[in-house]
């Protein structure tokens, strides 16, 4: 809550600027000034009290301000990768002879499960509220696993890898600080290696290793797991990507598939992996590194349209035996232009979360599991999913990609799970990303482009087009240059121009960052990315794009049909006739911490919701489209609109969207 805005000249450093007085949940106050944003908190301002927060409005000029919002969540910061809070390089060995930690069962997945709950029993004669339990995989996390680098560490033997998850002992077992005994439950997924648990004191900032557990493992750590489907480069092709522990010198990967009850086909799969050296920086190259295993992709071709197929993942070992996954199914895509019911879900910024409550689930990605569960529950009414950037927010902690593919497996194994590239997948300074930040934690796109398949010409350049029945999608990569004259700009124009609107009337553009309009995204005196909007809205208008979707801003917002900052239609929910503007929709509330809206209610913003949710498009035929925004908490519709029109309406001449004509006859 803003207390007051003080006038110019109140910068205690003498730099001038507008000073903003802000409030916090602890009852204190903060002062900030604009040349470099600085916050000075009063003694009553407790950022560690577990509640409240504060807001800052920084006015840099009459028409240029920035909005900042900070929330206090005890020791859980908002928007920070939980594993990055662990100062593992500072860990000390302080093994306590009377401290112990034990895990059971020892052998997991004996019935073919790819996840299982385990029970951790720990004892410590000197318990503290800062004691915590870490899960390491591989189980051996001492100095023998350290890379040959010059990273400064506290003492030998060093701990060189971050755990894959953790819990505070007292948070999970009430009374631990009194009794020194706790029972914790963790859910583990098969991640191609064994596991051990460690008890630390000293909190996350000054960890001291007190005890190490027994080692546990899955019956087959190398098993083929977590299939994710994607559209291929043609409408009648489906790709299946999965992860295993089998290299090509151990086994031959393939997919066995076909119509249920009929003879099955076996299609070979290619195999990819990458090493630590493929990472572009820390922590992906240092404490966040974990062997990704082997990623296999098979191409299932010449599919019949709208047909249900079964499939399973296979590996033929060189001794002649086979390793099989469980059976899955998918429905093939409709023929381009086919007049049938077609349903598309689209969202961004979902992240991942842990069902066992580890890794600060309730504060880092609060809506992630709700979104996942709503999609799983409604899977029979979904044909294809677009996750437009910011997938697991691994931020350089490679283990989290396995966690993410496991979380989305019920969805991605049944319908195409098409992804876009976000800042948390791609951006690393000095690596060619358009934004010079380290939001990906050193991953520089390698994880996203290897773990998932997209039908791009070059997967390192994450832009592509895909067709689904009456829809034509142009998926841009906001983390590479999209300005007029760039390679990507040429792709975008070609993609939009290639849509046959008689057969595919619904033309959709999507990117991660807001390259259009958002009243949350204030930058350089304008909403959204002004360069992107000025470059791209000309194309949207020229090619009569129906809707553009964005993530990055963690909320939901819908504009009117808009062009050059002006609504071109006074209707709010039922659109018909010519396409004389493009509807902009932000669907970035997939699961990560929420974003607030700016202070100005713009004329073009029709609906805003700072909540977790996702969008759904339903094409009933060539003339009728429904959009719905659903909250992840209950799956109910909170905003919707329809578009009704004929082919001649798409062809109609509109401002900056007319085909040239001649007076010749």
């Amino acid at each position: 809550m803003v207390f007051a805005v003080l006038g110019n000249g109140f910068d205690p450093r003498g730099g001038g600027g507008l000073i903003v007085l802000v409030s916090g949940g602890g009852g204190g106050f903060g002062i900030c000034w604009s040349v470099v944003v600085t916050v000075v908190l009063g003694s009553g301002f407790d950022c560690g009290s577990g509640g409240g927060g504060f807001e800052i409005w920084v006015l840099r000029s009459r028409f240029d301000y920035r909005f900042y919002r900070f929330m206090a969540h005890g020791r859980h910061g908002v928007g920070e990768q939980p594993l990055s809070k662990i100062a593992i390089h500072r860990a000390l060995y302080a093994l306590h002879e009377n401290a112990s930690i034990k895990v059971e069962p020892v052998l997991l997945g004996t019935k073919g499960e790819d996840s299982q709950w385990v029970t951790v029993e720990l004892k410590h004669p000197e318990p503290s509220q800062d004691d915590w339990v870490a899960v390491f995989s591989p189980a051996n996390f001492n100095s023998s696993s350290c890379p040959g680098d010059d990273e400064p560490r506290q003492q030998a033997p060093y701990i060189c890898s971050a755990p894959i998850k953790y819990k505070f002992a007292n948070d999970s077992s009430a009374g631990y600080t009194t009794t020194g005994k706790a029972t914790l439950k963790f859910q583990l997924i098969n991640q191609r290696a064994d596991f051990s648990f460690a008890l630390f004191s000293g909190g996350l900032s000054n960890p001291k290793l007190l005890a190490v557990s027994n080692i546990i493992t899955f019956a087959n750590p190398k098993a083929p797991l977590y299939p994710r489907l994607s559209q291929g480069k043609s409408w009648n092709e489906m790709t299946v990507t999965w992860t295993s522990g089998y290299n090509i010198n151990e086994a031959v990967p393939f997919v066995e598939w076909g119509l249920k009850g009929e003879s099955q086909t076996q299609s070979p799969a290619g195999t990819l992996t990458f090493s630590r050296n493929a990472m572009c920086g820390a922590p992906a190259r240092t404490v966040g590194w974990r062997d990704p295993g082997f990623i296999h992709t098979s191409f299932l071709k010449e599919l019949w349209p709208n047909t249900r197929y079964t499939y399973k993942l296979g590996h033929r070992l060189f001794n002649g035996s086979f390793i099989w996954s469980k059976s899955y199914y998918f429905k093939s895509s409709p023929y381009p232009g086919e007049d049938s019911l077609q349903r598309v879900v689209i969202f961004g910024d979902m992240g991942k979360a842990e069902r066992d409550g580890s890794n600060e689930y309730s504060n880092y990605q609060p809506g992630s599991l709700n979104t996942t569960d709503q999609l799983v529950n409604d899977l029979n009414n979904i044909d294809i999913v677009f996750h437009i950037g910011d997938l697991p927010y691994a931020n350089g902690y490679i283990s989290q990609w396995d966690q993410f593919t496991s979380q989305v497996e019920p969805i991605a194994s049944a319908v195409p799970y098409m992804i876009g590239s976000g800042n948390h997948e791609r951006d690393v300074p000095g690596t060619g990303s358009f934004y010079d930040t380290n939001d990906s934690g050193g991953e520089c796109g390698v994880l996203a482009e290897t773990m998932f398949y997209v039908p791009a010409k070059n997967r390192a350049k994450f832009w592509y087009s895909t067709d689904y029945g009456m829809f034509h999608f142009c998926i841009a990569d906001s983390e590479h240059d999209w300005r007029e004259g760039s390679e990507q700009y040429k792709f975008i124009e070609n993609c939009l121009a290639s849509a046959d609107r008689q057969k595919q009337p619904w033309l959709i553009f999507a990117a991660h960052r807001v390259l259009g309009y958002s009243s949350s995204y204030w930058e350089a005196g304008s909403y959204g990315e002004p360069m992107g909007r000025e470059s791209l809205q000309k194309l949207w208008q020229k090619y009569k794009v129906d809707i553009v979707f964005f993530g990055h801003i963690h909320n939901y917002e819908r504009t009117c049909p808009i062009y050059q900052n002006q609504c071109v239609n006074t209707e709010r929910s039922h659109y018909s006739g010519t396409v004389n503007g493009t509807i902009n929709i932000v669907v970035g509330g997939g699961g990560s911490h929420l974003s607030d809206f700016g202070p100005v209610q713009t004329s073009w913003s029709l609906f805003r919701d700072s909540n977790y949710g996702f969008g759904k498009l339903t094409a009933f035929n060539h003339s009728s489209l429904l959009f719905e925004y659903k909250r992840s908490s209950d799956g109910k519709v909170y905003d919707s609109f329809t578009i009704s029109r004929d082919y001649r309406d798409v062809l109609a001449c509109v401002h900056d969207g007319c085909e040239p004509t001649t007076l010749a006859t």
Side-chain angles (χ1 to χ4, degrees):
M1 173 181 178
V2 179
F3 272 97
V5 179
L6 308 181
N8 279 323
F10 281 90
D11 184 349
R13 302 170 304 164
L18 292 174
I19 314 279
V20 183
L21 196 62
V22 299
S23 71
F29 65 93
I31 297 174
C32 72
W33 49 86
S34 63
V35 179
V36 175
V37 177
T38 304
V39 181
V40 182
L41 305 178
S43 59
F45 198 107
D46 182 7
C47 283
S49 61
F54 61 96
E55 300 178 353
I56 301 173
W57 294 95
V58 183
L59 283 76
R60 304 192 303 179
S61 69
R62 183 180 176 187
F63 299 108
D64 188 3
Y65 55 86
R66 300 284 182 93
F67 174 60
Y68 301 85
R69 188 168 191 260
F70 300 84
M71 291 297 296
H73 285 285
R75 54 175 169 255
H76 323 307
V78 171
E80 181 182 2
Q81 164 55 250
L83 297 177
S84 71
K85 303 174 188 178
I86 303 173
I88 202 68
H89 62 286
R90 301 180 62 185
L92 295 172
Y93 276 72
L95 298 177
H96 196 296
E97 61 180 358
N98 294 319
S100 65
I101 181 168
K102 181 181 178 181
V103 190
E104 57 181 15
V106 174
L107 187 63
L108 312 177
T110 56
K111 297 180 180 179
E113 306 98 324
D114 53 29
S115 69
Q116 192 164 335
W117 288 84
V118 300
T119 302
V120 179
E121 300 280 353
L122 62 92
K123 296 179 181 179
H124 184 205
E126 301 171 11
S128 165
Q129 65 177 0
D130 288 329
D131 292 352
W132 55 286
V133 174
V135 185
F136 287 93
S137 180
N140 181 9
F141 58 89
N142 63 24
S143 56
S144 65
S145 63
C146 291
D149 58 31
D150 298 322
E151 287 289 317
R153 298 184 178 89
Q154 192 70 21
Q155 65 175 49
Y158 308 123
I159 299 177
C160 304
S161 59
I164 63 172
K165 60 169 64 180
Y166 65 91
K167 281 186 181 184
F168 280 88
N170 198 49
D171 289 353
S172 306
S173 237
Y176 168 74
T177 54
T178 303
T179 65
K181 297 179 180 180
T183 300
L184 288 70
K185 297 284 188 179
F186 282 89
Q187 186 181 36
L188 300 182
I189 66 166
N190 193 343
Q191 289 185 258
R192 304 172 305 284
D194 50 12
F195 304 85
S196 64
F197 292 68
L199 174 62
F200 287 90
S201 64
L204 305 181
S205 300
N206 297 286
K208 299 177 179 63
L209 180 62
L210 302 177
V212 181
S213 77
N214 52 299
I215 293 175
I216 65 175
T217 187
F218 276 85
N220 181 9
K222 294 185 175 184
L225 296 169
Y226 317 129
R228 40 259 186 210
L229 301 174
S230 171
Q231 297 270 90
K233 291 185 177 179
S234 62
W235 71 269
N236 59 350
E237 178 181 67
M238 189 74 77
T239 70
V240 185
T241 299
W242 74 96
T243 306
S244 85
Y246 292 107
N247 198 354
I248 55 175
N249 59 7
E250 299 176 89
V252 177
F254 62 94
V255 172
E256 185 172 280
W257 61 283
L259 301 174
K260 187 174 182 179
E262 299 189 11
S263 61
Q264 304 293 289
T265 299
Q266 291 186 350
S267 294
T271 298
L272 297 174
T273 190
F274 52 89
S275 67
R276 187 193 298 262
N277 291 338
M279 302 293 96
C280 294
R285 201 177 173 99
T286 56
V287 297
W289 170 255
R290 187 180 188 274
D291 191 303
F294 302 97
I295 296 88
H296 316 281
T297 299
S298 182
F299 299 83
L300 316 186
K301 300 184 178 183
E302 298 184 3
L303 303 175
W304 292 76
N306 285 324
T307 302
R308 184 182 171 105
Y309 289 89
T310 63
Y311 72 98
K312 58 182 178 178
L313 318 172
H315 290 264
R316 180 172 57 82
L317 304 180
F318 290 130
N319 65 8
S321 62
F322 290 84
I323 304 295
W324 295 103
S325 74
K326 61 185 178 183
S327 293
Y328 300 91
Y329 71 90
F330 68 85
K331 189 180 80 169
S332 57
S333 300
Y335 184 75
E338 178 183 290
D339 198 338
S340 61
L341 184 68
Q342 296 157 17
R343 300 152 302 183
V344 180
V345 163
I346 187 165
F347 58 87
D349 307 78
M350 185 171 75
K352 56 158 285 291
E354 301 290 346
R355 296 191 185 275
D356 59 15
S358 60
N359 289 21
E360 321 281 321
Y361 150 68
S362 61
N363 295 284
Y364 183 50
Q365 310 287 2
S368 179
L369 290 178
N370 286 343
T371 298
T372 301
D373 292 345
Q374 287 296 343
L375 298 184
V376 172
N377 292 339
D378 197 37
L379 200 54
N380 290 334
N381 299 306
I382 298 171
D383 296 311
I384 187 171
V385 170
F386 286 84
H387 187 161
I388 51 174
D390 285 6
L391 279 68
Y393 289 84
N395 296 3
Y397 290 86
I398 310 303
S399 64
Q400 305 304 287
W401 281 89
D402 284 320
Q403 306 277 349
F404 177 74
T405 55
S406 172
Q407 179 176 315
V408 301
E409 183 211 40
I411 307 163
S413 64
V415 300
Y417 198 92
M418 312 301 295
I419 68 167
S421 179
N423 51 306
H424 287 281
E425 281 75 55
R426 179 59 184 86
D427 293 0
V428 178
T431 65
S433 54
F434 194 43
Y435 298 84
D436 205 32
T437 67
N438 192 28
D439 289 353
S440 77
E443 292 179 14
C444 54
V446 174
L447 270 296
E449 65 197 50
T450 308
M451 297 292 285
F452 286 81
Y453 176 85
V454 295
K457 185 176 181 180
N458 179 351
R459 284 159 68 181
K461 298 174 180 178
F462 230 95
W463 53 78
Y464 62 92
S465 66
T466 192
D467 296 314
Y468 193 88
M470 294 176 284
F471 290 97
H472 182 69
F473 294 94
C474 297
I475 310 300
D477 180 357
S478 64
E479 309 314 299
H480 282 91
D481 193 355
W482 26 254
R483 293 172 298 178
E484 192 166 357
S486 67
E487 179 184 1
Q488 182 172 193
Y489 186 89
K490 295 174 184 176
F491 156 78
I492 293 170
E493 179 157 24
N494 288 335
C495 181
L496 298 177
S498 68
D500 181 345
R501 302 300 290 276
Q502 190 275 322
K503 296 181 177 63
Q504 294 176 305
W506 311 117
L507 181 55
I508 309 297
F509 173 92
H512 177 64
R513 293 181 189 257
V514 181
L515 303 182
Y517 295 83
S518 162
S519 62
S520 292
Y521 199 142
W522 180 265
E523 182 71 29
S526 182
Y527 288 109
E529 290 284 352
M531 289 189 299
R533 186 173 57 253
E534 294 310 311
S535 294
L536 296 174
Q537 69 175 339
K538 293 183 295 184
L539 295 182
W540 303 335
Q541 185 76 356
K542 178 179 179 181
Y543 295 105
K544 303 182 177 71
V545 174
D546 296 292
I547 309 172
V548 295
F549 287 97
F550 307 107
H552 196 60
I553 302 300
H554 301 167
N555 55 33
Y556 169 77
E557 184 172 21
R558 171 171 67 93
T559 76
C560 59
I562 189 171
Y563 183 54
Q564 294 180 340
N565 296 290
Q566 299 294 321
C567 291
V568 297
N569 193 317
T570 58
E571 180 56 58
R572 298 181 66 89
S573 57
H574 299 289
Y575 302 104
S576 60
T578 57
V579 188
N580 54 2
T582 299
I583 298 170
N584 285 231
I585 301 179
V586 174
V587 281
S592 191
H593 58 285
L594 291 170
S595 304
D596 289 304
F597 291 98
V600 178
Q601 178 64 53
T602 60
S603 60
W604 39 258
S605 181
L606 299 187
F607 192 96
R608 310 195 303 185
D609 188 33
S610 186
N611 217 308
Y612 300 107
F614 53 91
K616 184 176 182 181
L617 291 162
T618 301
F620 297 100
N621 50 49
H622 285 70
S623 299
S624 181
L625 180 73
L626 168 68
F627 172 82
E628 299 168 298
Y629 161 66
K630 298 185 177 185
R631 283 188 185 170
S632 300
S633 57
D634 56 16
K636 295 180 179 179
V637 176
Y638 285 81
D639 183 36
S640 66
F641 65 85
T642 61
I643 300 177
S644 301
R645 62 154 187 264
D646 296 322
Y647 179 47
R648 64 180 180 179
D649 297 319
V650 179
L651 298 177
C653 178
V654 298
H655 181 66
D656 287 346
C658 294
E659 293 294 331
T661 59
T662 177
L663 295 177
T665 61

